[in-house]
Amino acid sequence: MKRVAARLLMLALPAAVILASCKGGGGQSNTFKIGVVSSFTGPQAAFGQAHKNGYTLALADLNAKGGVLGKPIELVYYDDQGRPDQAVQGVAKLVDQDHVPVILGAYTSENTRAMIPAVTQREVPLLIPTSVADNLMQTGSPWVFRVCQGSGNYAHAILDFLKHNGDPKTIAIIYENTNFGQSNDTAMREAAQQAGLTVVDEEAYQASSPDYKALLARVKAKNPDAIYFGSYLLDASTLMRQSAEVGLDPRYYTAAGTGFSAAEFPTKDKGAGAYAEYTISVSQWLPTAKWKGSKEFDEAFLKLTGTHPAYHAMEAYVTLAIAVAAIEKAGGANPVAIRDALRALWLPETPFGPIRFDEHGQNDHATLVTQIQDGQYKVVWPPDAAEAKPIVPTPPWNKRQK
Amino acid sequence: MDFFTTLQAVVNGVLTGALYALVGMGMALIFGVMRIVNFAHGTFMMLGMYATYVLFVQAHVVPYYSFPLVALGMYGLGYLIYMALLRPIHGQSDFMQILLTLGIGLAITDAIQLVFGADYHQINFPLLEKNLHLGSHITVNAPWVVSFGIALVTGGGLYFFVMHTMSGRAARAIAQNRYAAPLMGIHLHRVQAFWFGLGVSAAAVAGSLLLPVFYLYPGVGDQFTLKAFVIVVLGGMESIVGAAMAGVLLGVVESLTSLYWGNEWALAVDFAIFLLVLSLRPSGIFGRQKA
């Protein structure tokens, strides 16, 4: 064992020297570096790709306008592979080696939560584009800023919709057993009880399983009026397909965005196809949003990828724009100055709506309720933003047209 | 839970378990003959899924027809990998084998990622929409039934091969005593390469059969390496019949745990059983107790 260790060391040392000598000259570079952590590989790669597309478009727009402080912007990507330990590694690498003064990321709430102590310790601001768990904003860290809404807002938006559209009495919550899922479960349980609904079942599940039929049978036995999912994309598809198989027929299929709001979800090739129909979810942004620049973003995204964007890509887009605005205001690469600039930032007009962070670092943003109708996301709530009438209650599986 | 809900969960568990069984049998074969714990096993399963996926997308062959081709191709790959990589470390410490198979797994996963990207894929064909009703209470999704049938035949074929053919006998001889077997005229490496290939192709067939009801991305096999490991230990390390039974058992236990305690407990129960068996009955539930 000792000899093996010695050999490994002999191999590792020269490798480290070579790597260190390759890097060099970080301080004198001609670009302004900004760090990005997201899940470009692994089970969350679809969302990581959405992030990357959003960042790519933002980068092109911002550099076309001259970059920041007279330098072109360079994004340093770190792939966390969907794993929290890798996300923490990402912070270490981006701050200690690349010396970035601000980090954007990660994708999942689990990973973002893991990054918060790391950025707080290194005193570098973290801008969160997409992670919705409520506990991310409860750490008291002054270095954390979140662009998207939290799981509490999701629960309230769905409950408000339900109350005005048939007023169900019971709800079951099905959630992935990670920070993201647990946070949505807690948020919905508390909000539902306040709203006078009975939570008849709470089911945590292990992500990426091939078989959820037993879980769905449990929910079916409780016969809830409504179901609320906290799921990422791959599981969302499996859950809906198997719900049909099990014959689970609540009056409302609702969800905390994410998998149920991904652009791929209603498609047959990459999602649940027809099984996604009628599901109700939340969205923070749609290509049809009224904010200036939304349409342009949609067009540019379509040109880049051949598909329409979901809100995850927009959140990445606007997060980079926010970071650059703050750096511009801070006048340099000092993390403290950038943090203070973020705190005082007021961007009245972005394609994601007005941006302003409260004293906890949370951006105030509206939550829309959507329903999939004919394979398209349609805003159905609140009434002043609605583009279609909701179809409720959900038709049972055996009454649906194939 | 009423009787039919429980029965339904058992049926679903058996259907999933048949695929676990196939993955586990492959791993047990490799361990039994070669004493190699194949940490790349799930990776080979993933590779089988990609091969199936390519055949479906490029040639429009559904997995239930393409799996023999996938099995053959993966057999060949397994044979080559044994000859090129595993043979040179023959007789060296277990540590080397663990590192090597882990390394093979990582290299293949990265290669797949390079070629196909990190994005996930899934396939669709009409059979997936079909649900069969057995009586008024039990429903099964057609692809699971077809894959169960194929897994049964494949598993049975493997068993027949081990027990009733010359190369099966040679493999069992090596498993019994790998120093004496070559003295009896058995060509050690040729036989081991053959069985390594077969073990790999069993995992790949399980991948083919799983693809229609699942999705694939380069890291999809990892969880199955762990499952195969549990199955092989439950089944008594080298017994392929034990592995088959342990696979089905694991499927049923997961399904019933999900039904009665909740899905979040399924994995915990898997590993609780694993630890219990390791500490109380290290030769496995279905293995023969050795002195």
Side-chain angles (χ1 to χ4, degrees):
Chain A
M1 215 44 212
K2 235 180 190 167
R3 263 182 49 200
V4 173
R7 266 190 215 169
L8 280 177
L9 202 66
M10 272 167 58
L11 284 175
L13 274 176
V17 172
I18 292 166
L19 278 177
S21 59
C22 283
K23 194 179 66 69
Q28 297 302 319
S29 97
N30 295 320
T31 56
F32 195 101
K33 285 182 181 170
I34 294 175
V36 173
V37 177
S38 191
S39 308
F40 302 116
T41 65
Q44 309 302 352
F47 296 108
Q49 192 54 51
H51 267 176
K52 194 164 213 165
N53 292 334
Y55 289 131
T56 304
L57 290 173
L59 190 67
D61 285 0
L62 292 162
N63 276 340
K65 285 184 208 149
V68 63
L69 304 173
K71 283 182 181 180
I73 304 155
E74 181 189 345
L75 292 180
V76 188
Y77 288 107
Y78 189 90
D79 174 19
D80 65 26
Q81 302 164 26
R83 288 166 39 194
D85 58 315
Q86 280 303 311
V88 176
Q89 283 288 317
V91 174
K93 192 251 170 193
L94 292 171
V95 178
D96 302 344
Q97 279 184 35
D98 300 309
H99 306 289
V100 302
V102 55
I103 295 180
L104 324 179
Y107 170 66
T108 70
S109 295
E110 188 93 353
N111 293 7
T112 306
R113 181 66 189 81
M115 287 166 72
I116 289 176
V119 294
T120 307
Q121 185 202 353
R122 288 180 175 78
E123 305 194 324
V124 167
L126 173 69
L127 271 165
I128 305 173
T130 342
S131 307
V132 297
D134 284 328
N135 63 5
L136 299 178
M137 306 313 293
Q138 292 159 357
T139 61
S141 168
W143 298 94
V144 178
F145 297 87
R146 179 157 75 180
V147 178
C148 66
Q149 285 284 273
S151 42
N153 305 88
Y154 280 5
H156 284 289
I158 289 288
L159 287 168
D160 184 50
F161 166 81
L162 289 176
K163 192 159 187 58
H164 292 93
N165 289 279
D167 198 16
K169 299 293 170 221
T170 56
I171 190 164
I173 308 168
I174 302 174
Y175 62 100
E176 178 181 306
N177 208 359
T178 61
N179 190 15
F180 155 75
Q182 287 162 3
S183 169
N184 278 294
D185 171 51
T186 313
M188 180 47 98
R189 185 200 316 122
E190 287 169 3
Q193 281 162 358
Q194 273 172 24
L197 271 86
T198 312
V199 179
V200 291
D201 196 11
E202 289 169 75
E203 296 285 343
Y205 68 82
Q206 191 73 42
S208 306
S209 304
D211 185 359
Y212 293 120
K213 292 184 284 265
L215 176 153
L216 296 165
R218 267 168 79 89
V219 177
K220 192 181 173 185
K222 304 269 170 59
N223 197 23
D225 290 339
I227 292 178
Y228 187 64
F229 287 104
S231 302
Y232 290 112
L233 177 58
L234 297 178
D235 294 320
S237 297
T238 312
L239 283 162
M240 287 315 292
R241 283 166 193 275
Q242 295 186 352
S243 290
E245 194 182 329
V246 172
L248 178 60
D249 282 316
R251 284 162 59 210
Y252 307 86
Y253 272 109
T254 69
T258 319
F260 283 82
S261 295
E264 292 89 345
F265 180 57
T267 67
K268 196 171 171 163
D269 286 348
K270 309 223 69 171
Y275 297 101
E277 195 69 11
Y278 307 118
T279 55
I280 293 156
S281 186
V282 288
S283 182
Q284 312 219 17
W285 176 88
L286 287 147
T288 49
K290 55 188 187 297
W291 298 304
K292 201 176 151 217
S294 286
K295 213 172 126 239
E296 288 77 2
F297 178 75
D298 181 40
E299 282 162 7
F301 194 95
L302 191 64
K303 221 172 121 191
L304 180 72
T305 67
T307 56
H308 289 281
Y311 63 87
H312 312 96
M314 167 49 81
E315 284 168 354
Y317 178 89
V318 79
T319 299
L320 181 56
I322 292 167
V324 168
I327 293 164
E328 199 76 60
K329 237 176 99 187
N334 179 348
V336 178
I338 294 173
R339 182 196 65 186
D340 294 340
L342 280 168
R343 190 152 295 159
L345 198 70
W346 164 233
L347 298 174
E349 209 167 66
T350 80
F352 193 63
I355 303 289
R356 175 184 270 165
F357 297 104
D358 68 12
E359 70 273 23
H360 304 293
Q362 174 66 52
N363 175 35
D364 184 27
H365 184 76
T367 306
L368 305 168
V369 176
T370 60
Q371 183 175 38
I372 296 176
Q373 299 180 355
D374 289 325
Q376 301 289 331
Y377 288 106
K378 299 275 188 218
V379 178
V380 292
W381 199 261
D384 59 339
E387 44 178 341
K389 271 179 115 68
I391 301 172
V392 288
T394 304
W397 292 105
N398 58 16
K399 298 270 161 54
R400 296 192 188 190
Q401 283 168 349
K402 276 279 154 71
Chain B
M1 291 296 158
D2 63 80
F3 172 73
F4 285 110
T5 313
T6 308
L7 186 64
Q8 173 82 60
V10 172
V11 170
N12 290 337
V14 171
L15 296 178
T16 317
L19 297 186
Y20 288 173
L22 211 50
V23 184
M25 282 170 90
M27 196 175 209
L29 263 182
I30 291 170
F31 183 81
V33 180
M34 265 151 284
R35 302 283 142 195
I36 287 176
V37 179
N38 183 17
F39 279 93
H41 208 61
T43 311
F44 289 122
M45 182 175 174
M46 174 274 289
L47 214 49
M49 289 171 93
Y50 270 95
T52 314
Y53 172 75
V54 169
L55 285 171
F56 180 80
V57 173
Q58 300 292 330
H60 309 288
V61 192
V62 295
Y64 307 126
Y65 296 121
S66 64
F67 81 92
L69 197 63
V70 171
L72 198 69
M74 291 298 293
Y75 164 78
L77 183 76
Y79 195 99
L80 287 179
I81 285 181
Y82 178 86
M83 283 302 188
L85 300 171
L86 288 166
R87 189 169 69 161
I89 61 149
H90 173 76
Q92 296 192 31
S93 78
D94 293 348
F95 188 59
M96 284 292 284
Q97 297 175 349
I98 292 172
L99 283 183
L100 187 66
T101 53
L102 261 176
I104 292 172
L106 285 175
I108 293 177
T109 307
D110 281 352
I112 285 290
Q113 193 160 302
L114 220 61
V115 176
F116 292 93
D119 200 7
Y120 69 99
H121 301 280
Q122 60 187 39
I123 64 173
N124 279 296
F125 50 91
L127 188 71
L128 294 180
E129 314 282 322
K130 206 156 184 71
N131 288 325
L132 307 171
H133 301 275
L134 310 172
S136 52
H137 294 283
I138 305 297
T139 309
V140 282
N141 191 217
W144 284 97
V145 180
V146 177
S147 70
F148 178 77
I150 294 174
L152 210 63
V153 173
T154 313
L158 268 181
Y159 177 74
F160 177 83
F161 228 87
V162 174
M163 300 312 285
H164 298 288
T165 63
M166 203 55 199
S167 55
R169 245 170 251 142
R172 279 183 290 141
I174 293 174
Q176 264 178 22
N177 189 327
R178 59 171 148 164
Y179 304 104
L183 301 176
M184 302 297 125
I186 290 170
H187 197 300
L188 184 75
H189 290 304
R190 215 177 288 159
V191 173
Q192 293 205 352
F194 175 80
W195 287 98
F196 188 79
L198 224 52
V200 164
S201 82
V205 170
S208 286
L209 298 179
L210 186 63
L211 177 63
V213 292
F214 209 45
Y215 36 78
L216 81 166
Y217 57 89
V220 74
D222 298 352
Q223 57 168 321
F224 293 98
T225 303
L226 266 180
K227 285 238 158 86
F229 198 58
V230 174
I231 291 165
V232 166
V233 167
L234 290 185
M237 292 314 273
E238 60 217 66
S239 151
I240 67 162
V241 181
M245 290 197 287
V248 175
L249 183 76
L250 200 71
V252 174
V253 167
E254 279 184 1
S255 184
L256 287 178
T257 309
S258 256
L259 184 66
Y260 282 95
W261 290 354
N263 179 278
E264 81 232 70
W265 290 101
L267 212 59
V269 169
D270 275 7
F271 288 107
I273 297 178
F274 175 68
L275 288 178
L276 275 178
V277 169
L278 262 188
S279 54
L280 299 178
R281 207 183 142 82
S283 55
I285 302 182
F286 302 105
R288 236 174 274 138
Q289 201 76 273
K290 279 182 211 157

